[in-house]
Amino acid sequence: MPKLSPLVVAVDRVASRLTGGRVMLLSVAGLPCLTLTVVGRRSGQPRSVPLLGMPWGDGWVVVGSNWGGARTPDWVHNLRAAAGADVEVRGRHTTVVAHEAVGAEREQLWNALLQVWPNYARYAERTDRDIPVLVLTPTVATT
């Protein structure tokens, strides 16, 4: 799957753009998904990425797995550096702030994530890095 990731992401972006954010590959597969838009820490430009986004409370949880690759995805670094981000779910936009889960919170979320996408366990086996788990909390909902 890591070798196919550029193709999967590209197809997902096109599907999301053509449907106004209402359809993504993950949603077709019955998985919860979202598009995260965050300002690039170096470019200053908005960067969007389709992600599996597990609903959690009023917000979502996302994982910087990179399919178990050695590198943490750029969007994680951008999100860590940003004051906020935009989440689009089924065409609805929500402004969020993020924090990285650690300790008991991360363990609880990781176990819940494995119920949604068991392949996260395989991704963790593929890499030596700690896979980041990030909680996205809404600040202001927009349409």
Side-chain angles (χ1 to χ4, degrees):
M1 192 64 173
K3 292 178 183 178
L4 294 176
S5 66
L7 177 62
V8 171
V9 171
V11 169
D12 231 2
R13 283 185 175 141
V14 170
S16 180
R17 186 173 50 240
L18 291 174
T19 64
R22 290 183 301 277
V23 176
M24 296 169 64
L25 291 178
L26 292 172
S27 64
V28 172
L31 295 166
C33 56
L34 55 82
T35 299
L36 175 71
T37 302
V38 61
V39 173
R41 66 196 180 288
R42 287 184 249 174
S43 70
Q45 298 299 309
R47 305 292 186 200
S48 297
V49 60
L51 299 169
L52 189 150
M54 179 180 75
W56 193 257
D58 291 340
W60 302 269
V61 177
V62 292
V63 178
S65 68
N66 200 16
W67 285 281
R71 292 184 56 231
T72 298
D74 288 339
W75 67 262
V76 172
H77 298 298
N78 292 339
L79 193 56
R80 287 171 174 159
D86 178 79
V87 168
E88 182 181 14
V89 177
R90 288 184 229 104
R92 182 170 182 232
H93 292 265
T94 304
T95 302
V96 297
V97 294
H99 77 269
E100 194 162 341
V102 296
E105 179 187 32
R106 185 191 185 285
E107 185 175 336
Q108 177 189 20
L109 292 172
W110 186 256
N111 289 330
L113 286 158
L114 290 175
Q115 298 302 307
V116 174
W117 186 243
N119 285 330
Y120 282 136
R122 181 174 296 151
Y123 301 164
E125 291 171 359
R126 287 184 191 154
T127 187
D128 293 330
R129 66 183 175 88
D130 290 328
I131 294 177
V133 174
L134 297 112
V135 180
L136 308 175
T137 305
T139 57
V140 177
T142 59
T143 54

